[in-house]
Amino acid sequence: MATYRLWPSTDGNATDESTSPINLGTEVVLSSTGWVTALHFWRATLSELGPVTGAVYAVVSGAQVPGTAVTFTLSGTGWQTATPATPVQLAASVRYVVVIHHTDRYAGTGGYFASGPGASGITSGILTAPSAAAVSSAPIGNGRFDEAGTIAAPTTTFNGGNYWSDITVTDEDPAGAAASGSASSTGSASGIRGVVGSTSGSAAGSGSATGARSALAAASGSAAGAGSADGLRSAIGVAGGFGASAGSAGGSRVAMAAAAGTGESSATATGSRTAVAAASGTASGSGLVDGDGRIALGGGTSSGVAAIHPLIHRPRRGIIHRP
């Protein structure tokens, strides 16, 4: 799981502006599904007083994203941080604005998203704050503000100013997905570590380098995982679920399904290790180099074309056994 935010802990503005209560926002967009774990703003001086609140809003609808509202406890100067009660999922390719509501003074940098460091946008992993020029649909530009007594999504911009409203997102749900939820995750480098869906949920994980580590689903859920290098470690579906696991190099290790489920596991290099199904389920395992999977249970099959199965032993050459 990776964590991203727009600006490092050393970045921010050393000046402040006198103001009435005001909403200040930074528009952001995610390249893939992410989860909000914290909101931040830069406090330039101790004369910036509270209370200060924050939340994430959908730009098009102007609606607050449920669960993102926070209240800051001010401490010294520099970055101030507040965390939602639980991580909140944000969708890919949707316009959001990170809003901080100040009651007295705020930090700002004129022209930041127009001619300053953000003129080409600011990107950190899956998280991007586009430049002022890149936001051409209403509300246009980046760096938003509106004077207001309560928090809301601001819509006004001026010369691409930046008001240092920041956010932390992760590329996987730190809390997993539960209660009829679903979880999916993909990776192209070191792949995926864990993907979980519980209570009628589903889980899928894939990677193209070291592959996916686990994809789990419980209570009538399903799980599927694949990798193209070191393959997949486990894919498990429980209580009427389905587990499938495949890899093309290091193969897949485990594919399990219980209670009328099915388990499938295949690989083209070192093969698959386990494919298990219980309670009227089916299981199959196959490999093309080091042979078949080590276990295939539940009315299942196992096949391979290279290595001898570990439970079969050849007689020693040149020795004849007589009664």
Side-chain angles (χ1 to χ4, degrees), residues 29-33 91-93 125-128:
V29 64
L30 279 64
S31 59
S32 62
T33 302
S93 304
I126 65 173
L127 179 66
T128 293

Side-chain angles (χ1 to χ4, degrees), residues 1-4 30 32-35 37 126 169-174 184-187 191-192:
M1 179 178 67
T3 299
Y4 310 101
L30 279 64
S32 62
T33 302
W35 286 262
T37 59
I126 65 173
V169 298
T170 63
D171 56 5
E172 295 179 30
D173 184 358
S184 63
S185 187
T186 60
I192 299 309

